[in-house]
Structures are given as structure tokens and as C-alpha cells.
Amino acid sequence: MKMKNILSYTPEELKALMGEIGEPAYRAGQIFSQLHKGISLDEMTNVGKATKEKLSRVVDVAFPGVRRKLVSRLDGTVKYLFELTDGNCIESVVMRYEHGYTICISSQVGCRMGCKFCASTLAGRVRDLEAGELLGQIIAAQRDLGIRISNVVMMGIGEPLDNFDNVVRFLKLVNLPEGINIGYRHISLSTCGVVPKIYELAKLDLPITLSISLHAPDDETRSAIMPVNNTWGVSELLDACRDYYRVTERRMSFEYTLISGKNDSVESAAHLARVLNSHLRSKSETMPIHVNLIPVNEVEESGFKSTGRDAVRRFAAELEKKGIRATIRRTLGSDINASCGQLRREETKGE
């Protein structure tokens, strides 16, 4: 049976654990702060061998291991295939921007959402990640690169809202001043549209940025590429988005992957603008709307082809004309296939 990851513990829970194994409470503060700085339990010099052995018998004390590491020669983007203590693998990507370093982390081993354009979901979901395993990706990357990561994007392998409790615990842990101390406003969570959990997240009123993977303006097109839409359609999803904004007053973004011949026409852009404006804006309420356009990453199994640059620009221009702010995502790490799921897919094909 897999033991709970030590990074999943809050400082208070770690104090209680110290009591359970017969250690003084102050040890918890020592261990917590050092772990979150990337110092492994084995490397700690102010914690005795007996204490380390006791902890190792009741909790998983390891950081994710680097199974593969790719570094882009174009822009310095780093892609990790991390191996967890049970042998499963996940991916994380570290990107360098003018404002600092951003990491894109995974929330599950695999994914069960079945989006047709995504490599992460091809083999289905294996298991959820613990909060500590989410946190461990950041700590392991910072330690390996010798940097301070200041922004987190939850857009790697898995659907964060399908692992709701662990993700919420992670958000609270990563924000702790005595830990990594990354502010909520520097965290973005991406969901394909698990509507009930969007309402739950709104109630928590955490000032993170919510990103909605929309990818189509209508149910017929969206259901064909995103099975989740068969459960919660476009209108139901956008109603949840409107409620989320009313509660949190936090601007959200809409991710839109452009697939050649599927959803990338100027007519699709006009349709998308009509749908967003009609659902999210009214005379009494003007919700800020931002669409992030992403040319599809060409995954062998999907057969989808990426939209050309000119078509992407025409799509963006049509949205802008209809009052919808649109940006085209900058491609980083294109020489190392930095899009999520591909490295893990390569590694597990023969298993």
C-alpha cells in the first residue's frame, strides 16, 4: 500500500505526526521548512538518524525523481519526465519569461477526460496525484535548476478538478509563507469543464486564475472532440463561468485549440464571439473575456492538423472585432515537444 507523501502534510499535521512517532513537536517546523527548500530528509543535518528512520516507516519521504530531462536549444524551456515512488511517470515543464520562471505541472497520472487532441488521455487515468506530489514537481524542478519558480500553471497531465480535494490542498500548501510561498494570483488552473467542481471552487474564493478549455463554440463540435461536453454542455459550462466571476470577481481565460478544418474558420470565430458575449455579458454586467488561441499540437494518434499562421490571425482578428480580447499563445520548447503527455506517452508505449 502506497504511503502518504510527507509533502502533503500541513505544518499542524506534521506536528501531530511527530507526536505519533514519539518526537518533539518542534521537529515538524525544522522538517517542513527544509523539505520545501528542496533539502531531502537524508540530507538534513539537524534531524537525527532515528527520527529519519521512524518517518520513513510511516510516510513517503522522497521527491519525484528525474527520469528524463529535455532542454530546448531555442528558448531554454525544460521538460521533465518525473518518476514517482510507485514507478508511475508524470510531466512538468519549466518556462522562462521576462517576469520569472513558470512551471506547468501535472495533477494526475494519465487522464480520463478523453479529449481527442490530447496525448495525456490516450492511455486513460491511472491514479490521482497527492497534494505533495503536485508540490514535489515544483520543489524538484527548483532544486535541479537552482532557480526560484514564481508562477504555476496547472495544465499538465490530468484534469485538476477531477482531483479536487488534492488540488485544493496543494493550492493551500503552495501558498504558505513558511513553504514555497507562491501567491494565489500567480497560479492558473485549467479545466475542461467539470461544472459542479467549478461551483465548488467558486465557494472557496481563492484568487487564482481559472482557465476554461473551451475549444468549440457549440455542443456538436465540442462533443466530437471533448467527451466531457456530453455531460455538461457549452451553455451549462458558461453559466458556471458567469457564476464563478460573480463570486470571485476574478477574470478567467478561455483556451481555444485551433484544429484545421474543425473549429478554425472565421465563421467559428464569429460564432464563438456571439456565444461568449450572449452568455457572459449584459447591459448590467460586462465580464472581461480573454481567449487564448493555441494551434493544435499534432499528436500521431489523433490525426488532427495544426491551423496555419494566417488562419490563426484571421480568427483572432474576428474575435477582436466582436469585442473579445484574443491572444495567440507563444510556442515554447517546440524542439523538445513541450506539450503535455508526449514524453510520458513515448516512455510507456512499450510497457
Side-chain angles (χ1 to χ4, degrees), residues 117-135:
F117 49 83
C118 182
S120 299
T121 195
L122 290 171
R125 171 188 162 277
V126 177
R127 69 170 176 86
D128 292 336
L129 294 185
E130 281 187 57
E133 291 174 316
L134 276 82
L135 200 63

Side-chain angles (χ1 to χ4, degrees), residues 13 15 43 99 115 117 133 141 147 154 157 184 192 200 213 243 277 289 301 322-323 326 339:
E13 290 168 341
K15 283 180 183 177
E43 295 168 325
H99 59 264
C115 298
F117 49 83
E133 291 174 316
I147 60 168
M154 304 188 72
I157 295 171
Y184 288 129
C192 68
E200 278 192 52
S213 295
D243 183 82
N277 279 323
I289 303 172
E301 290 87 348
K322 298 291 195 297
S339 299

Side-chain angles (χ1 to χ4, degrees), residues 225-296:
I225 58 175
M226 300 182 71
V228 70
N229 197 76
N230 292 311
T231 304
W232 302 288
V234 172
S235 292
E236 197 172 356
L237 173 57
L238 293 180
D239 286 346
C241 291
R242 186 180 62 239
D243 183 82
Y244 184 89
Y245 175 73
R246 286 173 176 170
V247 172
T248 66
E249 296 185 341
R250 289 286 292 161
R251 189 204 77 170
M252 64 185 65
S253 65
F254 293 89
E255 309 290 332
Y256 194 100
T257 294
L258 291 156
I259 305 169
S260 181
K262 297 282 185 182
N263 64 353
D264 63 339
S265 67
V266 172
E267 291 74 21
S268 292
H271 190 178
L272 177 62
R274 285 196 304 273
V275 168
L276 291 175
N277 279 323
S278 64
H279 276 81
L280 304 178
R281 288 173 171 171
S282 64
K283 290 181 180 179
S284 60
E285 186 176 45
T286 305
M287 176 177 163
I289 303 172
H290 171 234
V291 175
N292 193 12
L293 299 174
I294 312 160
V296 72

Side-chain angles (χ1 to χ4, degrees), residues 105 131-132 134-135 138 152-154 160-161 163-176 181-189 201 204 206-209 244:
I105 63 171
L134 276 82
L135 200 63
I138 305 172
V152 179
V153 179
M154 304 188 72
L161 296 188
N163 185 18
F164 189 82
D165 291 342
N166 283 313
V167 164
V168 169
R169 174 175 279 262
F170 158 76
L171 290 171
K172 293 178 179 179
L173 282 168
V174 79
N175 185 245
L176 289 175
N181 193 23
I182 296 177
Y184 288 129
R185 294 181 188 277
H186 295 273
I187 300 172
S188 178
L189 184 153
L201 189 64
L204 296 176
L206 301 174
I208 63 171
T209 297
Y244 184 89

Side-chain angles (χ1 to χ4, degrees), residues 258 264 293-295 307-317 328:
L258 291 156
D264 63 339
L293 299 174
I294 312 160
T307 300
R309 286 180 178 273
D310 289 343
V312 175
R313 292 191 189 100
R314 286 194 294 271
F315 197 101
I328 301 169

Side-chain angles (χ1 to χ4, degrees), residues 10-73:
T10 66
E12 294 74 22
E13 290 168 341
L14 204 51
K15 283 180 183 177
L17 180 63
M18 290 299 119
E20 290 172 14
I21 64 173
E23 293 289 328
Y26 71 82
R27 287 260 185 253
Q30 293 175 330
I31 292 169
F32 186 91
S33 64
Q34 289 186 91
L35 285 171
H36 287 242
K37 290 174 184 175
I39 301 169
S40 71
L41 190 64
D42 286 341
E43 295 168 325
M44 293 180 193
T45 57
N46 59 344
V47 178
K49 182 180 178 182
T51 304
K52 293 175 183 179
E53 288 176 349
K54 288 180 190 177
L55 278 172
S56 297
R57 286 195 290 267
V58 295
V59 290
D60 174 7
V61 297
F63 296 130
V66 179
R67 184 148 162 182
R68 288 183 68 188
K69 175 183 175 183
L70 303 177
V71 182
S72 171
R73 295 180 179 179

